[in-house]
């Protein structure tokens, strides 16, 4: 809370939250009007005004999502979300980040993704981290340093992946408690989320989970192993009963689009208590990756249309890591909005791009952001004028191959050291097939608006 500045004191924030609790539907617009007296940045003002307008629209699904937050989450969760995510991570960081970008001519990330461990209690088919060693880990002291350096740059959002991050749940809870001005999110397979852990997350208020699920039982267990689906639902139940914040993460591929892209499945997840959903598509990482799981062009196009339709209907916040690039100006990796630090300490531009010049164990975050591969990203973003073709691997594989070569970056997959040309070759035909679909999507969702 010590970083909630610019005229918005901790006391004022507590009063505003207390005021909203009594009647959120009526009082949120009044609180926004008060905040507008202190927020001068036009971009941040427009976000607040949009939030105010949402609350006036009775049938707006985001209005209903906000009201769900008051009904289904602990008060401390709402407080931390407003102070840490809305203010610290999304509004007050802008000026500090811009100063550093101007000073060092490099990207400064909004969020940092890191892997506390590469170990996992499952062996999912086609895992994006399958070619990392399973014995690597970032110790508590190193993760604490990463967060402290990140906050100095204005970064207040930290995400964990792996491996299975909840294998390190004690350290992660300790970090969230120490850095109570930040927001934390962990992508988890859900099998280790018990009642005690869920209650700890509810008590902290600044730490959410994204449960990996890939459809109903048959589709989820297909890649993740028999019994995984039931354990995910049990973990969600613990979180729901504790009134802790959580959502879901799903990887859509050639064999499950009909499942994860169904209204029945989404309704089911909302009923479980999910507040958000994050969609990814399968990426064939590793020399022995199963390329038959890659999403077909018509399936990816279907998901682009379907998600936009669901946003108009469902009281849940939905994101698509690839198909939503139009809203963020293209690829967000390379520190433009986020970066990835794997469990070995390699600082990668993206969770799906396993090449690096730098290891966080012998460099600072700022050094890593100025490393050759990150500077190549900064120089070439966006990688395509059509924002429905944002990815330097999946949509523009020649771009990734050239950047890795020009930067002298090395593979961070110690189990197979996948050559970048071999990786990109697996995406070439998919990129060509996607191009015509991307042109139609651009015409419908960008050019005609």
């Amino acid at each position: 809370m010590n970083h909630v500045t610019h005229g918005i004191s901790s006391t004022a924030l507590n009063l505003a939250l207390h005021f909203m609790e009594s009647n959120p539907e009526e009082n949120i617009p009044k609180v926004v009007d008060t905040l507008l007296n202190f927020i001068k940045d036009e971009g941040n003002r427009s976000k607040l005004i949009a939030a105010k307008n949402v609350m006036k629209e009775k049938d707006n699904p985001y209005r209903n999502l906000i009201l769900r937050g008051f009904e289904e989450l602990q008060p401390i969760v709402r407080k931390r979300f407003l102070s840490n995510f809305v203010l610290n991570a999304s509004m007050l960081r802008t000026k500090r980040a811009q100063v550093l970008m101007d000073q060092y001519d490099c990207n400064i990330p909004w969020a940092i993704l890191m892997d506390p461990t590469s170990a996992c209690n499952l062996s999912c088919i086609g895992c994006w981290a399958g070619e990392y060693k399973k014995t690597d880990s970032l110790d508590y002291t190193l993760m604490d340093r990463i967060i402290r350096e990140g906050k100095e740059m204005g970064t207040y959002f930290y995400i964990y992946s792996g491996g299975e991050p909840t294998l390190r749940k004690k350290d992660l809870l300790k970090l969230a408690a120490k850095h109570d001005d930040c927001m934390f999110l962990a992508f988890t397979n859900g099998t280790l989320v018990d009642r005690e852990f869920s209650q700890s997350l509810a008590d902290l208020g600044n730490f959410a989970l994204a449960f990996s699920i890939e459809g109903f039982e048959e589709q989820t267990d297909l890649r993740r192993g028999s019994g995984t689906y039931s354990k995910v639902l049990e973990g969600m139940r613990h979180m729901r009963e504790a009134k802790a914040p959580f959502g879901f993460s799903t990887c859509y591929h050639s064999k499950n689009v009909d499942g994860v892209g169904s209204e029945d499945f989404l309704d089911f997840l909302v009923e479980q208590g999910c507040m958000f959903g994050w969609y990814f598509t399968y990426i064939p990482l590793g020399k022995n990756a199963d390329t038959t799981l890659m999403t077909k062009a018509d399936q990816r196009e279907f998901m682009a249309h379907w998600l936009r339709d669901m946003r108009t209907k469902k009281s849940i916040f939905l994101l698509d890591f690839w198909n939503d690039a139009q809203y963020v100006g293209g690829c967000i990796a390379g520190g433009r909005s986020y970066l990835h630090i794997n469990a070995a300490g390699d600082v990668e531009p993206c969770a799906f791009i396993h090449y690096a010049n730098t290891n966080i164990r012998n460099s600072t975050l700022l050094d890593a952001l100025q490393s050759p591969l990150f500077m190549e990203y900064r120089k070439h973003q966006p990688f395509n004028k059509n924002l429905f073709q944002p990815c330097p691997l999946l949509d523009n594989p020649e771009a990734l191959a050239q950047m890795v070569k020009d930067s002298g970056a090395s593979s961070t997959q110690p189990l197979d050291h996948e050559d970048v040309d071999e990786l990109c070759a697996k995406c070439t035909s998919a990129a060509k097939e996607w191009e015509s679909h991307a042109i139609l999507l651009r015409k419908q969702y960008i050019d005609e608006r």
Side-chain angles (χ1 to χ4, degrees):
M1 293 298 293
N2 57 314
H3 288 276
V4 180
T5 58
H6 298 271
I8 306 173
S9 69
S10 177
T11 300
L13 184 64
N14 288 333
L15 288 172
L17 284 163
H18 179 74
F19 186 53
M20 286 191 291
E21 293 284 346
S22 61
N23 189 339
E25 193 169 0
E26 180 179 326
N27 293 333
I28 286 176
K30 296 177 182 178
V31 170
V32 169
D33 285 337
T34 301
L35 288 173
L36 287 171
N37 293 322
F38 301 101
I39 302 294
K40 304 304 179 185
D41 178 79
E42 285 303 317
N44 289 332
R45 287 179 63 84
S46 66
K47 294 174 187 175
L48 287 171
I49 292 170
K52 176 183 175 181
N53 292 336
V54 160
M55 295 306 297
K56 296 178 180 179
E57 301 170 7
K58 297 293 184 181
D59 296 325
N60 191 305
Y62 293 106
R63 169 188 174 275
N64 296 329
L65 175 59
I66 292 170
L67 295 180
R68 279 188 62 204
F70 280 87
E71 296 169 359
E72 300 176 27
L73 298 174
Q74 293 283 2
I76 186 63
V77 176
R78 296 190 287 276
K79 177 180 179 180
R80 296 300 189 203
F81 181 79
L82 180 58
S83 64
N84 298 3
F85 188 83
V86 176
L87 292 176
N88 287 351
S90 301
M91 291 187 174
L92 301 183
R93 74 168 294 272
T94 306
K95 183 176 291 188
R96 176 61 178 160
Q98 189 60 56
V99 168
L100 291 173
M101 282 189 282
D102 292 342
Q103 182 178 354
Y104 294 100
D105 189 27
C106 68
N107 289 327
I108 300 297
W110 171 66
I112 291 175
L113 172 67
M114 55 181 159
D115 302 344
T117 179
S118 58
C120 187
N121 60 322
L122 298 183
S123 298
C124 303
I125 297 171
C127 176
W128 66 271
E131 302 306 318
Y132 290 144
K133 287 182 179 178
K134 304 307 178 187
T135 55
D136 289 327
S137 65
L138 303 176
D139 63 35
Y140 173 86
T141 301
L142 181 55
M143 289 190 287
D144 179 55
R145 173 170 73 83
I146 291 168
I147 296 169
R148 285 187 284 107
E149 288 185 11
K151 289 199 293 184
E152 287 296 317
M153 299 189 304
T155 303
Y156 287 86
F157 188 25
Y158 295 87
I159 308 173
Y160 301 117
S161 56
E164 172 49 43
T166 60
L167 288 169
R168 298 283 303 283
K169 61 178 69 172
K170 290 183 179 179
D171 281 339
L172 302 190
L173 290 171
K174 186 178 176 182
L175 286 166
K178 179 176 181 179
H179 298 282
D180 63 355
D181 51 354
C182 295
M183 281 301 298
F184 296 87
L185 169 69
F187 289 102
T188 175
N189 62 39
T191 60
L192 304 177
V193 180
D194 55 22
R195 184 173 287 105
E196 181 183 4
F197 183 50
S198 300
Q199 188 60 55
S200 295
L201 296 174
D203 293 341
L204 282 168
N206 64 335
F207 193 165
L209 298 182
F211 286 83
S212 295
I213 190 168
E214 298 187 16
F216 289 111
E217 186 169 16
E218 181 179 355
Q219 291 171 318
T220 295
D221 288 359
L222 173 69
R223 284 187 65 207
R224 297 182 174 273
S226 178
T228 302
Y229 176 80
S230 62
K231 291 180 180 178
V232 168
L233 296 191
E234 182 181 1
M236 287 185 176
R237 177 172 57 80
H238 290 315
M239 293 289 283
R240 183 174 67 250
E241 291 174 350
K243 293 191 170 185
F246 72 97
F248 71 91
S249 167
T250 192
C251 174
Y252 60 92
H253 53 79
S254 61
K255 293 180 171 59
N256 75 342
V257 167
D258 290 344
V260 299
S262 74
E263 197 163 348
D264 286 346
F265 180 59
L266 185 57
D267 286 340
F268 174 75
L269 292 172
V270 173
E271 290 171 4
Q272 302 312 300
C274 291
M275 292 285 173
F276 60 89
W278 212 325
Y279 291 80
F280 300 87
T281 193
Y282 175 78
I283 301 294
L285 297 176
K287 291 181 179 180
N288 297 317
D290 184 356
T291 56
T292 67
L293 287 174
M294 293 181 68
T295 311
K296 306 302 182 185
D298 60 339
Q299 293 176 316
R300 181 174 167 186
E301 181 183 349
F302 165 78
M303 290 300 294
H305 293 302
W306 182 79
L307 272 166
R308 282 161 176 77
D309 183 42
M310 291 301 101
R311 289 188 186 116
T312 69
K313 300 176 179 179
K314 307 299 179 181
S315 55
I316 184 171
F317 187 73
L318 302 173
L319 309 94
D320 186 315
F321 193 73
W322 281 268
N323 288 336
D324 282 344
Q326 73 172 106
Y327 305 116
V328 291
C331 171
I332 64 171
R336 181 169 169 266
S337 287
Y338 99 111
L339 57 79
H340 177 235
I341 304 173
N342 68 25
D346 300 309
V347 187
E348 303 167 339
C350 176
F352 303 99
I353 305 299
H354 295 173
Y355 301 91
N357 300 108
T358 310
N359 192 289
I360 198 64
R361 288 188 166 86
N362 48 43
S363 74
T364 65
L365 276 176
L366 200 53
D367 289 336
L369 287 162
Q370 297 172 81
S371 66
L373 183 55
F374 277 75
M375 296 305 288
E376 286 292 315
Y377 263 73
R378 180 171 172 80
K379 181 167 64 175
H380 293 290
Q381 289 167 322
F383 297 106
N384 199 302
K385 292 181 180 179
N386 186 348
L387 298 182
F388 280 97
Q389 297 170 270
C391 183
L393 171 57
L394 189 62
D395 305 318
N396 309 279
E398 70 288 345
L400 177 64
Q402 194 61 52
M403 288 193 299
V404 169
K405 292 172 185 176
D406 288 348
S407 66
S410 301
S411 170
T412 58
Q413 294 180 178
L415 299 187
D416 70 359
H417 293 287
E418 186 170 24
D419 179 79
V420 69
D421 285 329
E422 294 180 17
L423 170 64
C424 292
K426 290 183 289 188
C427 297
T428 300
S429 61
K432 289 179 180 178
E433 291 172 8
W434 174 244
E435 185 174 12
S436 60
H437 295 260
I439 290 171
L440 293 175
L441 287 168
R442 174 181 176 175
K443 182 177 180 181
Q444 180 174 352
Y445 291 112
I446 300 177
D447 294 346
E448 294 183 355
R449 296 192 176 189

